[in-house]
Amino acid sequence: MTEVWPLSPLQEGLLFHAAFDDLGDHGDHGDHGPDVYTVQTVLAADGPVDPARLRASWEALVLRHAALRASFHRRRSGEAVQLITREVALPWRETDLSGLAEPEAAAETGRLAAAERAHRVDPAAPPLLRLHLIRRAPDRYRLVVTSHHLLMDGWSMPLLLDELTALYAAGGDASGLRTAPSYRDYLLWLGRQDKDAARAAWRAELAGTDEPTLVAGPVTAARAGAAPRRTSLRLPGATATALGELARRHGLTVNTVLQGAWALVLARLTGRTDVVFGSTVAGRPPELPGAEAMIGLFINTLPVRIRLDGAEPVVELLRRIQERQSALIAHQHLGLAEIQGIAGPGAGFDTLMVYENYPRPPADPATPETLRLTVAEAHQATHYPLTVGVLPGDGFRLDVTYRPDLVSERVGETAGRWLARVLERMVVDPWGPVGRLDVLEPADRARVVDGWGGTPGAEPVLPVPELVAGRVAAEPKAVAVSGEGRAVSYRELGEGSGRLAAFLAGVGVGRGDRVGVVLERSVGLPVVLLGVWRAGAAYVPVDVGWPAERVAGVLADAGVSVVLCERKTRGVVPESSGALVLEVDQPETVARLAASPGGLTVPVG
């Protein structure tokens, strides 16, 4: 018996794109051509693998989850449905490359995986899933999992692999696993939602937008049909940690911070202060029992509208974004096509941001019999001209995928660096005005300000931090400060002051604040003074020999928010100052300074 299920909103959209791409690129012979929504994960298995047992475990998975046996069809009425076949034959291939040397085996594995991606997955022929087990050495395998995005989302894959490990340990016997929750329950839940309320909410959210937010240009004939390109970079671990701390300190999600940063990059790309871009939401309703353990396509792509005010503090922008997004959570079930239909052209966009922050099941303790699978490669794309993917981990990884026939190489190759720079600026100066967040990197900024906008023959007028930065770049090993029998190089001065600036930003110091400095003269003092400047603040020097009344009067008159001192000068700071007092030689402070990201400077006039 075959079951008939409806489609989720994103399944509707993906099915449309699959049919459109098939017809547009391949005519009547599209079943063997590539599909942008073909998803591939290459899993590494190091250790003994029983291919027959592994195949039986995958067959048990497909039998266990009805959503994996779906095929997609359109009725004569135009309605799209998915048919759940009771039994399907799992496409399974095995290739033995163990007779090749490792470089040749690796190259052939890549060729075989690419061939699997190039072979179109037919949405009408279940299952929309293929497996290719490649033996690279006696105890080294690669399992190439190729599927259509119609089947499942990124959240589902770790769930599948967790179950696969349990099934493999049981010899492919699923009787010991708990009953799997069905994706059908989610589709029924969708049908019970208040669509009228959702339409009204989205209409109000997007009211006043007149035209789509687009970065793509017309198709470049010379590059028409060119394969998407991807560039990747990784944020330093310290910067990623600081972003997390920024979010927690202000009651934000990391996704909100990322969306705010991308809105600023998009504003620079489009010259607009009211931008719309796409974002994916997990779509797993907490009120639906078992939703977190279901296999299927739950995610939805929705428009994010952000209006920018150059004078607004960054933190206030982020709070406003989160408030608006929170108000729409109950309406995230509505499909993108319907939202754009009711909101008009202003809801259109051609860039997508994806934050892949889904939970991963805890790993069971490994034994010699445990199947250990790790992701060696992953390939997925979208039809959008420019997609930004952010993967959390030990330092965020930023993946930018772009279509070179629609997006210029300059934008495609540098958008990730622009986003990283905005995120770094947010960490350093969360209370600074939005308009001061500089997308340009130092070299580009110098080219614009000095090369394009400067007066010919005029000497540039630079603040001290930038003058010192020039010396750091030109003569990093040269002595910057000497005395007390030691010397500090320009590199040490730059790194130390940059870490202090980031540390001060982390405790709330921003542009225009005053920082009291209650320190004795030493080789380390210029590092502190420069660090305060780089945080965008002004330092208020306090002579440790002053009377207590004078110290109290200076700190109060200057309105200092933070006081930097040492243990031996702590007694000079009056308890009545009301400022945050930090001892720079206290072990906890020393450790936090060492972990702070360096190289950051808040721009000031």
Side-chain angles (χ1 to χ4, degrees), residues 2 54 177 190 240 324 343 350 361 452 467 473 490 501:
T2 301
L54 182 59
L177 299 181
L190 277 175
R324 298 184 74 90
D350 65 357
W452 298 347
L467 290 171
Y490 274 100

Side-chain angles (χ1 to χ4, degrees), residues 428-429 431-434 436-437 508-513 535-538 602-605:
V428 172
D429 193 20
W431 286 103
V434 167
R436 288 279 189 156
L437 280 179
V509 174
R511 185 184 292 103
D513 288 340
V602 175
V604 295

Side-chain angles (χ1 to χ4, degrees), residues 8-178:
S8 73
L10 188 57
Q11 283 179 325
E12 288 269 12
L14 295 185
L15 185 61
F16 167 80
H17 283 289
F20 182 81
D21 181 51
D22 191 2
L23 179 62
D25 291 347
H26 307 287
D28 295 331
H29 306 284
D31 56 336
H32 294 295
D35 186 328
V36 70
Y37 284 104
T38 296
V39 178
Q40 186 178 87
T41 303
V42 180
L43 302 169
D46 294 325
V49 172
D50 181 342
R53 190 175 175 186
L54 182 59
R55 179 176 184 174
S57 300
W58 272 101
E59 289 173 338
L61 272 180
V62 173
L63 184 62
R64 186 172 149 77
H65 295 283
L68 297 181
R69 305 193 302 275
S71 58
F72 296 80
H73 308 267
R74 196 167 293 279
R75 290 173 166 169
R76 290 182 179 178
S77 64
E79 177 193 13
V81 295
Q82 50 186 315
L83 304 182
I84 308 301
T85 306
R86 181 179 292 275
E87 294 182 4
V88 296
L90 179 68
W92 177 276
R93 291 179 60 195
E94 294 181 25
T95 301
D96 190 348
L97 303 179
S98 60
L100 301 178
E102 177 55 28
E104 288 77 11
E108 181 63 10
T109 299
R111 189 194 68 77
L112 291 171
E116 292 284 1
R117 291 196 304 275
H119 184 71
R120 179 176 291 268
V121 179
D122 183 0
L128 279 63
L129 173 72
R130 296 194 300 265
L131 297 153
H132 192 163
L133 182 64
I134 302 172
R135 188 186 189 205
R136 296 259 289 261
D139 287 335
R140 185 177 302 162
Y141 289 80
R142 291 291 186 270
L143 179 62
V144 181
V145 183
T146 308
S147 63
H148 199 286
H149 201 13
L150 280 162
L151 273 195
M152 57 184 171
D153 52 25
W155 185 309
S156 297
M157 181 57 77
L159 298 177
L160 272 185
L161 296 183
D162 190 49
E163 286 192 14
L164 178 68
T165 301
L167 285 166
Y168 186 85
D173 181 6
S175 61
L177 299 181
R178 67 176 184 175

Side-chain angles (χ1 to χ4, degrees), residues 253-597:
T253 66
V254 172
N255 192 37
T256 295
V257 179
L258 293 169
Q259 289 183 348
W262 180 243
L264 289 165
V265 174
L266 197 54
R268 299 306 195 275
L269 288 174
T270 60
R272 297 173 51 162
T273 57
D274 188 350
V275 297
V276 177
F277 59 90
S279 178
T280 58
V281 294
R284 293 176 183 254
E287 64 270 25
L288 178 62
E292 74 286 348
M294 291 179 185
I295 303 299
L297 186 67
F298 290 81
I299 62 171
N300 197 12
T301 298
L302 297 170
V304 176
R305 180 190 187 182
I306 297 178
R307 282 169 278 201
L308 300 166
D309 177 355
E312 184 179 28
V314 172
V315 166
E316 295 302 329
L317 166 68
L318 298 178
R319 286 174 176 164
R320 182 163 53 82
I321 293 172
Q322 184 149 306
E323 287 173 2
R324 298 184 74 90
Q325 292 298 298
S326 297
L328 290 167
I329 287 177
H331 311 296
Q332 290 178 342
H333 56 83
L334 204 63
L336 178 60
E338 190 165 3
I339 292 172
Q340 292 178 328
I342 61 177
F349 55 84
D350 65 357
T351 66
L352 178 70
M353 164 161 277
V354 182
Y355 180 42
E356 299 188 23
N357 186 34
Y358 41 78
R360 302 176 186 274
D364 293 328
T367 69
E369 294 299 316
T370 301
L371 177 67
R372 294 184 296 276
L373 295 171
T374 58
V375 177
E377 295 178 42
H379 298 272
Q380 59 182 349
T382 73
H383 69 280
Y384 292 97
L386 184 65
T387 300
V388 179
V390 183
L391 288 81
D394 183 17
F396 288 164
R397 195 181 84 206
L398 307 180
D399 292 333
V400 177
T401 305
Y402 69 100
R403 287 183 50 180
D405 56 340
L406 293 173
V407 176
S408 72
E409 186 174 0
R410 183 186 70 87
V411 171
E413 297 294 326
T414 59
R417 295 205 301 270
W418 292 338
L419 178 60
R421 181 162 179 80
V422 171
L423 291 170
E424 290 172 347
R425 291 296 200 190
M426 284 181 166
V427 169
V428 172
D429 193 20
W431 286 103
V434 167
R436 288 279 189 156
L437 280 179
D438 196 356
V439 171
L440 295 177
E441 296 172 313
D444 294 331
R445 187 172 189 273
R447 186 179 304 116
V448 172
V449 175
D450 301 329
W452 298 347
T455 302
E459 288 293 327
V461 179
L462 300 174
V464 172
E466 293 192 32
L467 290 171
V468 174
R471 292 295 294 161
V472 172
E475 298 286 345
K477 296 182 180 179
V479 174
V481 188
S482 63
E484 304 169 325
R486 59 183 289 250
V488 176
S489 69
Y490 274 100
R491 176 185 287 121
E492 292 169 326
L493 176 62
E495 292 176 351
S497 60
R499 285 193 293 269
L500 178 62
F503 171 73
L504 289 173
V507 298
V509 174
R511 185 184 292 103
D513 288 340
R514 270 79 67 192
V515 176
V517 178
V518 188
L519 298 170
E520 295 180 342
R521 292 171 63 88
S522 68
V523 172
L525 182 59
V527 176
V528 173
L529 304 183
L530 183 60
V532 173
W533 277 346
R534 291 180 64 174
Y539 69 81
V540 180
V542 172
D543 192 319
V544 297
W546 284 349
E549 295 80 4
R550 185 174 184 186
V551 173
V554 167
L555 295 179
D557 187 55
V560 301
S561 57
V562 173
V563 173
L564 300 176
C565 63
E566 296 174 309
R567 279 176 286 186
K568 63 183 178 181
T569 62
R570 177 64 177 82
V572 178
V573 183
E575 297 295 337
S576 60
S577 70
L580 174 64
V581 181
L582 300 170
E583 297 177 15
V584 294
D585 56 353
Q586 200 265 350
E588 181 182 351
T589 304
V590 172
R592 290 180 64 184
L593 282 169
S596 295

